[in-house]
Amino acid sequence: MVVDSSSAQLRQDLAVNFYLPSIASKKDQLANIENMHTLIHQKKLIVDSSLLDIILAIQNYSWKTDNSVTGNKPRFVHDIHSHPIDAIKYAVYLISR
């Protein structure tokens, strides 16, 4: 199981309470998105047309630059569209590591 790298307590709880091992995800969001983009264009990651929520999430996933917080580094907008994308990023990360 891949878990957000900032969720150390969740990883520990999964291990202790449910005997579920996990690994911390790679936190480089821009690289993860670029990897997904490449896989889609290479037709190695295919999103079936029946997965409307996933398609909507991909189309609406966004980021913004907030100089006061990130210093020109893109910051991804955390909204309803980010959750399906995070799941796909974790799956791609797990397969490609």
Side-chain angles (χ1 to χ4, degrees), residues 33-59:
I33 292 297
E34 288 172 349
N35 189 27
M36 280 180 52
H37 182 265
T38 299
L39 292 173
I40 289 171
H41 282 280
Q42 292 175 345
K43 302 209 183 303
K44 293 181 179 177
L45 177 61
I46 298 169
V47 179
D48 188 84
S49 61
S50 67
L51 300 173
L52 300 178
D53 289 339
I54 299 296
I55 292 168
L56 182 66
I58 290 170
Q59 291 172 339

Side-chain angles (χ1 to χ4, degrees), residues 12-23:
Q12 182 176 350
D13 291 346
L14 289 171
V16 171
N17 298 330
F18 302 103
Y19 307 102
L20 291 172
S22 64
I23 59 171

Side-chain angles (χ1 to χ4, degrees), residues 3 6 10 12-14 19 21 25 27 31 39 46 63 69 74 79 85 90 93-94:
V3 177
S6 66
L10 174 60
Q12 182 176 350
D13 291 346
L14 289 171
Y19 307 102
S25 69
K27 201 62 176 166
L39 292 173
I46 298 169
W63 61 87
V69 176
D79 61 13
I85 301 300
Y90 292 158
Y93 172 74
L94 187 60

